[in-house]
């Protein structure tokens, strides 16, 4: 009697555990396994498409799946729909791909935003819910305008120092970083000036000192091209370059005629002066020698007396 009771209890436990295992195995599991965005960079006001795959990880089909895309705080607005899609059924261990076209709000700042993807579905035993998250980085546009670029000197000769002045205007929505200005060209020496960071809507001046040089070229050295190159980075370290031409810088040969004239005049003047100085010096030396000689002779006579 006792033995048969124990066997009955064991059979009941086996049946219960088997039912529990079967029940768990039959429970559908729908989850997002992959997603993509059709743009590498998304700016405020842009329209983009997000695609993702939903997989039914159960062996049994699910039915009446409703998928809702919901930004956390209204940062993205559905373009072609209300952000909801319906799938009649997904067979066991199968996948379905969905896509949503969204518009980015124009007032967003530069950071990563989240989009909730919520799914509701059912099978023969009940209904279920799931939630996944998609992350969308929003970038602000970097844009620089270079203005008021000029060479300070009016007349430039080979070897002269040249001051190049330029204004860098950050007209983009994002701050820019590690801003530097470089001058380069055919008849000016390469030179760089570091400016630093420039906030959105602000400007900074570049003041670069370089030198007029002679370029080995058969052309006339007054017909060369020269440029100011501005480099900077955005918040992610991406580098940008802007260039503005200085045009033709007229560089003249050095004029040594005035120096030669002064040297010749100085040479002639010094020759006349030197002659007079030599005569005076000889006279002074003779007088001094005569006086010293007389004193020595007088002292000698005094000693003998």
């Amino acid at each position: 009697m006792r033995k048969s009771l124990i066997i009955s209890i064991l059979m009941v436990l086996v049946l219960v555990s088997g039912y529990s295992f079967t029940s768990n195995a039959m429970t559908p599991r729908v989850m997002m396994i992959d997603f993509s965005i059709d743009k590498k960079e998304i700016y405020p006001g842009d329209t983009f498409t997000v695609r993702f795959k939903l997989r039914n990880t159960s062996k049994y089909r699910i039915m009446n799946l409703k998928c809702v895309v919901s930004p956390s705080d209204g940062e993205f607005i559905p373009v072609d729909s209300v952000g909801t899609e319906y799938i009649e059924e997904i067979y066991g261990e199968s996948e379905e791909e969905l896509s949503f076209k969204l518009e980015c709000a124009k007032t967003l700042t530069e950071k990563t935003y989240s989009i909730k993807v919520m799914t509701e579905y059912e099978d023969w035993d009940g209904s279920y819910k799931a939630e996944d998250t998609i992350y969308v980085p929003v970038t602000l546009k970097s844009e620089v305008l270079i203005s008021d670029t000029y060479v300070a000197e009016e007349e430039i000769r080979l070897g002269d120092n040249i001051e190049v002045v330029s204004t860098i205007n950050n007209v983009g929505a994002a701050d820019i970083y590690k801003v530097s200005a470089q001058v380069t060209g055919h008849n000016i020496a390469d030179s760089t000036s570091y400016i630093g960071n420039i906030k959105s809507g602000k400007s900074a001046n570049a003041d670069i000192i370089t030198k007029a040089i002679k370029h080995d070229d058969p052309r006339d050295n007054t017909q060369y091209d020269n440029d100011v190159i501005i480099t900077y980075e955005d918040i992610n370290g991406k580098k940008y370059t802007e260039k503005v031409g200085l045009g033709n810088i007229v560089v003249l040969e050095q004029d040594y005629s005035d120096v030669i004239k002064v040297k010749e005049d100085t040479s002639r003047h010094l020759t006349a002066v030197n002659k007079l100085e030599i005569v005076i010096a000889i006279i002074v030396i003779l007088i001094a020698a005569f006086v010293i000689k007389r004193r020595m002779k007088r002292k000698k006579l005094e000693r003998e007396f």
Side-chain angles (χ1 to χ4, degrees):
M1 181 68 177
R2 183 178 295 176
K3 185 175 180 181
S4 61
L5 179 62
I6 293 174
I7 293 173
S8 299
I9 294 173
L10 290 175
M11 290 179 65
V12 170
L13 291 175
V14 169
L15 289 173
V16 170
S17 61
Y19 173 78
S20 176
F21 176 77
T22 305
S23 178
N24 289 336
M26 291 177 62
T27 302
R29 296 285 187 270
V30 175
M31 61 185 296
M32 184 187 300
I33 60 171
D34 187 26
F35 79 90
S36 64
I37 299 173
D38 67 340
K39 291 185 177 180
K40 290 184 178 180
E41 292 183 340
I42 300 174
Y43 302 105
D46 279 1
T47 299
F48 64 96
T49 300
V50 58
R51 293 182 175 86
F52 53 87
K53 290 181 180 180
L54 295 178
R55 179 175 177 81
N56 178 9
T57 61
S58 171
K59 293 182 179 180
Y60 303 92
R61 69 171 182 162
I62 59 98
M63 301 165 291
N64 301 323
L65 183 142
K66 182 176 75 172
C67 181
V68 179
V69 172
S70 175
S72 58
D73 196 20
E75 300 92 349
F76 309 103
I77 304 170
V79 176
D80 298 330
S81 65
V82 293
T84 303
E85 289 287 346
Y86 173 79
I87 299 176
E88 185 175 352
E89 63 181 0
I90 302 178
Y91 288 99
E93 299 181 340
S94 298
E95 300 171 3
E96 287 287 338
E97 183 175 278
L98 297 176
S99 65
F100 290 86
K101 192 173 184 179
L102 304 172
E103 181 180 346
C104 182
K106 296 179 180 180
T107 57
L108 297 186
T109 58
E110 190 167 59
K111 69 176 186 178
T112 298
Y113 296 86
S114 61
I115 298 176
K116 299 296 182 182
V117 178
M118 294 172 287
T119 52
E120 298 179 7
Y121 52 93
E122 58 187 31
D123 65 0
W124 298 110
D125 292 330
S127 59
Y128 311 88
K129 293 182 179 181
E131 183 178 296
D132 294 282
T133 304
I134 294 175
Y135 295 97
V136 180
V138 174
T139 304
L140 297 180
K141 284 187 178 180
S142 298
E143 187 177 358
V144 164
L145 175 65
I146 306 172
S147 64
D148 302 325
T149 301
Y150 63 93
V151 178
E153 287 73 20
E154 294 183 359
E155 183 178 286
I156 301 171
R157 297 187 179 274
L158 287 176
D160 287 355
N161 287 333
I162 306 172
E163 183 183 14
V164 180
V165 180
S166 187
T167 301
I168 305 167
N169 307 283
N170 182 4
V171 296
D175 296 348
I176 57 176
Y177 306 89
K178 298 181 181 179
V179 183
S180 64
Q182 178 189 12
V183 290
T184 184
H186 290 99
N187 55 347
I188 57 175
D190 290 354
S191 183
T192 302
S193 176
Y194 180 74
I195 290 93
N197 304 333
I198 305 177
K199 291 186 174 296
S200 173
K202 300 296 183 180
S203 301
N205 293 325
D207 196 339
I208 313 168
I209 303 299
T210 183
K211 187 182 290 292
I213 60 174
K214 187 172 183 179
H215 195 273
D216 295 330
D217 195 293
R219 297 179 300 173
D220 181 1
N221 65 358
T222 63
Q223 300 299 319
Y224 293 127
D225 294 325
N226 306 278
D227 299 301
V228 174
I229 300 174
I230 306 299
T231 59
Y232 60 95
E233 296 181 5
D234 62 16
I235 193 172
N236 298 314
K238 184 179 178 180
K239 294 184 178 181
Y240 299 83
T241 301
E242 300 288 343
K243 183 171 71 172
V244 61
L246 286 171
N248 177 39
I249 298 178
V250 178
V251 178
L252 306 174
E253 294 286 347
Q254 284 288 1
D255 184 5
Y256 298 105
S257 59
D258 292 340
V259 176
I260 295 173
K261 184 177 179 181
V262 170
K263 185 176 181 182
E264 290 176 350
D265 292 343
T266 304
S267 178
R268 286 194 296 267
H269 177 69
L270 290 176
T271 301
V273 172
N274 286 342
K275 288 180 180 180
L276 180 60
E277 289 177 346
I278 291 172
V279 173
I280 294 174
I282 292 173
I283 295 174
V284 171
I285 292 172
L286 290 175
I287 293 173
F290 177 75
V291 171
I292 293 172
K293 187 175 181 181
R294 285 193 64 184
R295 286 182 179 179
M296 292 179 64
K297 187 176 181 180
R298 180 179 293 179
K299 287 182 179 181
K300 182 178 181 183
L301 292 173
E302 289 177 352
R303 285 196 301 271
E304 290 178 353
F305 179 77

